[in-house]
Amino acid sequence: MGRVGGWRGARAIVCVLILLQVLVRYPSPARAIEESASVRVPILVYHNVDYSGSEFSVTPEQLDEQCRWLYENGYTSITLWQFWDAAMGNGALPMNPVLLTNDDGWSSVMTFAEILGRYGLVGNYFINNYSPLSPDQILTLAQHGPVQAHTANHQYLSHLDYESQLAEISQNVTYIEQITGQPVQFLAWPFGDHNSSGIEAAAASGIIGAF
């Protein structure tokens, strides 16, 4: 997944969600596949909200400005589940949909969720097992948007064998589900890195879509 820095960089890095059909247990109807191919949803991908100046971070003020811009320009934030339902032909997307995501589960994600909430925006959160967030914080975060998989230890999955890939994904899924009590069926590949066996491992772990 990409990243968001300043607003100019954020707008430039808006990308199209690439839906990976990884579960043959849930084949998509032909019509839904055809329709979903034409659905384009911009994604803004965030990591840290702080003053580090890192290319992976935005300041709270920058994030507030970006959220205000989305709100004032008529964008509606959606969840991964809303996108999935629309892609499968089981729902419709609102006008000007946008996906807002936050990777890794650093402590500043709580600030991220609070700022989004000021504008009625919903986030989508991808968390590792080693996230510094406590279980109570993760549970609170799940009340602001879906908390989904990002593997247990954030490794390059293509460098691992199948069994290790399966462990990375399934242990992460179990960890999050035990805390939130909600299904974990989406995955953000660490570093955007995956291969064919990684997709098979994701499917075996109950993942229905990854990007």
Side-chain angles (χ1 to χ4, degrees), residues 1-208:
M1 296 176 68
R3 53 187 181 273
V4 173
W7 184 231
R8 178 178 297 178
R11 294 183 65 183
I13 213 161
V14 170
C15 59
V16 176
L17 176 62
I18 301 173
L19 188 64
L20 299 180
Q21 302 284 348
V22 296
L23 273 191
V24 296
R25 291 187 302 165
Y26 301 107
S28 301
R31 180 180 178 185
I33 293 176
E34 181 179 355
E35 291 178 351
S36 65
S38 64
V39 174
R40 291 179 177 270
V41 178
I43 308 173
L44 293 181
V45 182
Y46 296 84
H47 289 76
N48 293 319
V49 181
D50 57 31
Y51 297 97
S52 67
S54 165
E55 62 179 331
F56 292 97
S57 73
V58 292
T59 67
E61 291 79 12
Q62 287 174 326
L63 178 60
D64 187 272
E65 178 186 357
Q66 294 164 16
C67 289
R68 184 171 63 253
W69 187 93
L70 292 171
Y71 175 78
E72 292 177 348
N73 285 274
Y75 282 86
T76 300
S77 59
I78 63 171
T79 68
L80 292 163
W81 290 108
Q82 286 176 281
F83 178 86
W84 180 262
D85 287 344
M88 297 297 100
N90 296 320
L93 293 175
M95 292 292 293
N96 299 323
V98 62
L99 269 169
L100 303 175
T101 72
N102 188 294
D103 286 8
D104 301 336
W106 300 115
S107 57
S108 66
V109 70
M110 305 307 292
T111 301
F112 178 85
E114 189 273 327
I115 293 175
L116 264 61
R118 297 175 190 171
Y119 299 93
L121 300 173
V122 62
N124 298 272
Y125 305 95
F126 297 99
I127 292 181
N128 305 298
N129 289 31
Y130 66 78
S131 165
L133 297 179
S134 69
D136 284 345
Q137 287 176 309
I138 294 174
L139 185 58
T140 297
L141 196 62
Q143 298 171 6
H144 294 273
V147 177
Q148 298 293 296
H150 200 37
T151 74
N153 298 291
H154 204 274
Q155 300 188 51
Y156 285 93
L157 290 181
S158 68
H159 296 184
L160 305 178
D161 59 29
Y162 173 79
E163 292 302 325
S164 297
Q165 292 172 333
L166 181 63
E168 276 290 314
I169 300 170
S170 63
Q171 290 174 12
N172 184 222
V173 168
T174 299
Y175 173 72
I176 297 171
E177 287 185 339
Q178 288 180 341
I179 293 173
T180 67
Q182 300 173 1
V184 175
Q185 294 187 285
F186 297 96
L187 167 69
W189 305 108
F191 312 105
D193 176 67
H194 65 280
N195 56 13
S196 59
S197 63
I199 293 175
E200 293 175 1
S205 300
I207 299 298
I208 60 175

